[in-house]
Amino acid sequence: MGWRLFPDMRWVAYVSLETAAPEVYVRPFRVSGQTGQPSLGEGKWQISKDHGNWPQWRIDREIVFNTAPSGTDVFATPVNPTGTAFESGVPQRLPFLPITGVTTTPQSTPDGGDS
């Protein structure tokens, strides 16, 4: 399953079972107040279609995820997380496993640019 913060920490990609099957969603991520309490902002975007697991942000502004239940197919969805509203494209099946460009650690500058 899992979740990942976008490198600028304004968006979180996560897996939810709210539709019975695991799907990948994105929501705004906020840290506010004097205590720095984290919370989810308004809006929610479904990124996967027909199952999704283990979302990862790529430095080229895509979200890559495995499908479930087999986990053998890998998809990438183009996204635009830099504005005030989140935009996403249509998931595309990758003909190969993305050995490079998928990360669990930030590889972008705080403003979302490539490092």
Side-chain angles (χ1 to χ4, degrees):
M1 296 259 224
W3 60 272
R4 294 284 181 260
L5 286 173
F6 187 67
D8 69 4
M9 296 185 64
R10 293 187 314 132
W11 304 98
V12 61
Y14 66 96
V15 176
S16 174
L17 297 172
E18 61 193 75
T19 62
E23 297 288 357
V24 176
Y25 295 88
V26 170
R27 292 193 66 178
F29 181 79
R30 307 282 184 253
V31 177
S32 59
Q34 293 179 351
T35 63
Q37 185 70 26
S39 65
L40 296 176
E42 295 295 318
K44 175 173 61 175
W45 294 266
Q46 184 174 337
I47 302 302
S48 61
K49 307 289 186 231
D50 301 323
H51 298 84
N53 256 322
W54 303 108
Q56 303 287 326
W57 294 98
R58 285 179 26 149
I59 59 174
D60 60 356
R61 303 291 193 268
E62 290 185 320
I63 296 177
V64 176
F65 58 91
N66 291 55
T67 59
S70 69
T72 57
D73 290 329
V74 178
F75 286 78
T77 302
V79 295
N80 181 6
T82 57
T84 56
F86 188 86
E87 299 173 7
S88 67
V90 177
Q92 300 293 319
R93 185 173 180 267
L94 297 178
F96 55 87
L97 293 177
I99 306 282
T100 61
V102 177
T103 179
T104 57
T105 58
Q107 293 189 5
S108 298
T109 60
D111 66 357
D114 295 339
S115 56

